[in-house]
Amino acid sequence: MASEDITKLAESLAKTKVGGGQLSFKGQSLKLNTAEDAEEVIKQIEEFDGLEALRLEGNTVGVEAAKVIAKALEKKSELKRCHWSDMFTGRLRSEIPPALISLGDALITAGAQLVELDLSDNAFGPDGVRGFEALLKSPACYTLQELKLNNCGMGIGGGKILAAALKECHRKSSAQGKPLALKIFVAGRNRLENDGATALAEAFGIIGTLEEVHMPQNGINHPGITALAQAFAINPLLKVINLNDNTFTEKGAVAMAETLKALRQIEVINFGDCLVRSKGAVAIADAVKEGLHKLKELNLSFCEIKRDAALTVAEAIEDKAELEKLDLNGNCLGEEGCEQLQEILEGFNMAAVLGSLSDDEGEEEDDEGEEEDEDEEEEEEEEEEQQQLKERGQGEQESLTPKKIIDSQDSTPVPSPPVDVATFLAFPSPEKLLRLGPKCSVLIAQQTDTSDVEKVVTALLRISSVFKDEAPVKTAVHETTDALMRKAFTSATFNSDAFITSLLIHMGLLKSEDKIKAVPSLYGILMTLNHMVQQDYFPKSLAPVLSAFVTKPNRALDSCSFARHMLLQTLHQL
């Protein structure tokens, strides 16, 4: 290590905070690649008697550095709290699992009894969960109370691995007479979807001691929400439920409302941006009215709730003396409805608890038409879910028990109707892409006019919208993208600059004079671009342009931080 680097490291370490059994290197931007880089950090750890908490967040730790830090931790049996979020910035995904394995093995060797493990904001993906799987199953985690895995990109696969590890930890710890008593679980922004959420719900139902669950922005629809609701009912100590920005619809909201009736300790309900709609809101209001006397916060913002349902929610909180905040912003009350809402709360002397209504969408005129649209949407969702179950060879879902939430039964697959390219591009789904068969990539490329930039962009966005981390779907998306874009970029008439401009506009990253609606989620296109930019057909001259726009602050990008990180990391390495 160069002398100036050592000096810089020494200055950073001078800021190290020590106290109350805690050693903190938080936010020092240390770049620990080699054993030599980590010497000063190791010295601090080794010389710290009674180490109970180690903060490594806001630094970047490589495989070799992790090994020597782990060696120092092998003698720290009193360690209880590992604050290890955001400690792999700029690392390849392949580096993270071995680093986590080294650190986890050290804690097991030390005989540590962890209370808190925070690995949030580490973009390790499904494979990264394998890195701390053994730790979770070990005696070091029998005492775990807080597990925080926010924004890690675990995906469905990672969620299933995590759920299995938690169940194994509970089984082993129960055999020792001290069952795992997890209190706080955090796993927002992980693309868990229904399957990942359902797997975790089974683990929650077995554990039964949860007090806080935070799982926002996970692409969970009503089957996953229903499974979680059933699991929450077996966790009577629950105080906080945060499922913001998932998709309940009426079915999920009604299931969750039934669970709320059984929970007496609830203080915070965050179902904002969850599309509970009016019927779901009324069901939740009934649950609030019947009990929940400790409720402090109720968030039903941006849920397509209409005036009468919103007023029902307001009337339900009349005797909630502990309530500090009611958020109904971004719904469909209209000016008169907003005034009525405020009047009701003023009548209870509770006007102060109402949040802003500045983003109200206005009262819907055609209520009957809206209800029909909602019913049709839910019917379409139901049909798609049934189709997915058939294709996976699964039967009906059984009712929840503490030991098993949802159990799949074998069923005879029903033959699916044929799909053509036009049908897929009009209504894309992973199943339809797979049903196009092994020649799907050739078919789509053949039937797309690559001389028309807009048609190419539209086709690419439709293909990428069905991206999943599951191998068959991921492979199909990659192969189809390669066939389409290779044909486009190798065409003498194709304008690459016009393509990237149009793509950025459709992604909502570049403004246009024309009113073009941005795609609802950037996750699929970001993950597809991450593959695309590595291929020989992709013009390297477009990489700096793409990097510049993906780097800029943007709410849509923030909600896909894992995919964004992956793409930027790849672009940086080109």
Side-chain angles (χ1 to χ4, degrees):
M1 179 183 280
S3 59
E4 58 268 24
D5 292 334
I6 295 174
T7 302
K8 185 179 179 181
L9 179 60
E11 289 173 354
S12 294
L13 291 173
K15 301 175 185 175
T16 299
K17 296 178 182 178
V18 178
Q22 174 176 284
L23 177 60
S24 175
F25 300 95
K26 182 179 179 180
Q28 293 184 21
S29 300
L30 302 176
K31 295 181 180 179
L32 308 178
N33 298 317
T34 66
E36 184 184 5
D37 294 341
E39 282 180 358
E40 290 294 330
V41 174
I42 294 164
K43 182 181 178 184
Q44 294 268 2
I45 294 173
E46 289 177 340
E47 294 178 354
F48 197 111
D49 292 328
L51 180 63
E52 294 184 5
L54 178 61
R55 307 197 77 105
L56 290 173
E57 62 264 60
N59 300 291
T60 178
V61 181
V63 177
E64 293 306 313
K67 286 180 181 179
V68 291
I69 291 172
K71 195 69 178 175
L73 290 175
E74 287 181 358
K75 298 178 182 178
K76 300 299 174 180
S77 61
E78 296 177 30
L79 188 61
K80 292 180 174 62
R81 298 184 182 275
C82 297
H83 302 279
W84 294 349
S85 63
D86 188 24
M87 57 179 266
F88 296 111
T89 302
R91 300 288 169 187
L92 297 174
R93 273 177 67 176
S94 59
E95 292 182 86
I96 301 176
L100 288 173
I101 289 170
S102 295
L103 294 167
D105 287 349
L107 299 177
I108 297 170
T109 301
Q113 294 185 316
L114 295 184
V115 172
E116 179 179 359
L117 177 60
D118 187 355
L119 291 170
S120 299
D121 300 315
N122 289 311
F124 46 59
D127 294 339
V129 185
R130 295 285 187 196
F132 58 95
E133 181 184 15
L135 173 63
L136 279 180
K137 294 178 179 179
S138 76
C141 285
Y142 290 178
T143 50
L144 195 64
Q145 295 179 15
E146 301 179 29
L147 180 58
K148 300 174 182 178
L149 298 165
N150 201 55
N151 191 30
C152 291
M154 290 190 290
I156 295 171
K160 290 180 176 180
I161 296 168
L162 175 61
L166 288 172
K167 288 190 289 184
E168 183 70 1
C169 181
H170 186 272
R171 185 187 68 78
K172 288 182 175 179
S173 58
S174 296
Q176 297 290 323
K178 295 182 179 180
L180 171 67
L182 191 67
K183 294 181 179 180
I184 298 174
F185 179 83
V186 181
R189 294 186 177 184
N190 271 292
R191 300 288 300 182
L192 294 170
E193 302 184 20
N194 288 334
D195 289 350
T198 299
L200 285 166
E202 186 174 338
F204 297 162
I206 292 170
I207 294 169
T209 56
L210 289 167
E211 296 180 11
E212 295 185 22
V213 175
H214 303 263
M215 295 174 66
Q217 294 186 3
N218 269 298
I220 308 170
N221 299 325
H222 75 77
I225 295 298
T226 300
L228 287 171
Q230 293 170 327
F232 292 164
I234 310 169
N235 285 264
L237 302 177
L238 266 173
K239 297 178 181 178
V240 178
I241 302 177
N242 176 8
L243 293 173
N244 189 286
D245 199 6
N246 289 291
T247 307
F248 282 42
T249 64
E250 180 191 343
K251 293 178 182 178
V254 168
M256 194 61 71
E258 285 302 309
T259 285
L260 290 175
K261 292 177 182 178
L263 299 176
R264 301 300 177 191
Q265 306 301 319
I266 288 291
E267 296 178 5
V268 177
I269 298 172
N270 186 345
F271 297 159
D273 203 11
C274 281
L275 203 66
V276 304
R277 294 185 175 134
S278 295
K279 292 178 182 178
V282 170
I284 292 169
D286 289 344
V288 171
K289 191 171 185 177
E290 285 186 22
L292 306 188
H293 296 294
K294 295 183 179 182
L295 188 64
K296 294 180 179 179
E297 181 178 337
L298 175 59
N299 184 347
L300 293 175
S301 61
F302 299 93
C303 281
E304 293 190 5
I305 301 170
K306 297 171 189 173
R307 181 182 61 181
D308 290 348
L311 299 182
T312 301
V313 172
E315 290 166 353
I317 67 168
E318 180 179 3
D319 62 344
K320 305 301 175 247
E322 301 294 319
L323 194 71
E324 299 171 0
K325 184 178 180 181
L326 171 63
D327 193 345
L328 288 168
N329 199 16
N331 287 299
C332 309
L333 281 68
E335 186 176 344
E336 185 179 343
C338 290
E339 290 175 359
Q340 290 176 322
L341 182 65
Q342 290 166 335
E343 287 173 5
I344 289 173
L345 294 175
E346 285 171 2
F348 303 152
N349 292 319
M350 296 179 72
V353 307
L354 182 63
S356 170
L357 297 173
S358 60
D359 292 319
D360 186 74
E361 295 288 339
E363 190 170 9
E364 297 285 348
E365 293 182 5
D366 187 10
D367 287 353
E368 187 176 340
E370 282 291 318
E371 288 176 6
E372 288 177 1
D373 288 344
E374 290 173 9
D375 291 341
E376 286 176 9
E377 283 180 28
E378 294 205 2
E379 284 175 12
E380 287 175 6
E381 288 171 6
E382 183 70 26
E383 287 173 6
E384 187 171 337
E385 284 150 17
Q386 291 299 325
Q387 184 61 48
Q388 289 175 9
L389 286 174
K390 290 172 184 176
E391 289 174 355
R392 293 174 189 169
Q394 293 180 339
E396 295 295 318
Q397 294 179 345
E398 294 181 353
S399 60
L400 172 73
T401 66
K403 295 295 180 186
K404 200 160 190 177
I405 304 269
I406 292 179
D407 186 19
S408 300
Q409 296 178 343
D410 290 333
S411 62
T412 303
V414 176
S416 302
V419 173
D420 57 21
V421 171
T423 302
F424 166 74
L425 291 177
F427 305 101
S429 73
E431 292 72 30
K432 287 174 186 170
L433 181 62
L434 294 177
R435 293 211 315 262
L436 280 171
K439 293 184 178 181
C440 63
S441 58
V442 176
L443 291 171
I444 291 176
Q446 285 177 344
Q447 297 184 40
T448 302
D449 181 4
T450 52
S451 65
D452 187 328
V453 166
E454 285 300 315
K455 289 181 179 178
V456 173
V457 169
T458 300
L460 175 62
L461 290 170
R462 295 293 174 86
I463 294 163
S464 64
S465 70
V466 306
F467 179 89
K468 282 189 174 184
D469 286 318
E470 297 169 6
V473 177
K474 182 194 292 188
T475 300
V477 169
H478 286 173
E479 289 179 351
T480 307
T481 298
D482 289 343
L484 173 67
M485 298 315 302
R486 188 181 299 279
K487 178 184 175 185
F489 283 128
T490 55
S491 170
T493 59
F494 190 70
N495 189 327
S496 299
D497 292 334
F499 164 78
I500 200 70
T501 300
S502 177
L503 181 61
L504 291 169
I505 289 171
H506 282 276
M507 291 173 69
L509 305 183
L510 182 62
K511 290 184 179 179
S512 170
E513 293 180 1
D514 300 323
K515 291 185 178 179
I516 295 177
K517 189 176 180 181
V519 292
S521 171
L522 294 180
Y523 180 78
I525 185 61
L526 290 173
M527 294 300 285
T528 303
L529 282 169
N530 184 54
H531 166 80
M532 213 169 100
V533 299
Q534 299 177 62
Q535 308 311 308
D536 57 5
Y537 59 74
F538 185 80
K540 302 308 178 197
S541 61
L542 298 183
V545 179
L546 190 57
S547 180
F549 280 92
V550 176
T551 305
K552 286 182 178 180
N554 183 284
R555 283 185 64 185
L557 287 170
D558 290 342
S559 66
C560 302
S561 53
F562 169 73
R564 179 193 207 175
H565 171 81
M566 291 290 295
L567 176 56
L568 287 175
Q569 184 172 269
T570 301
L571 288 169
H572 181 70
Q573 292 168 358
L574 291 177

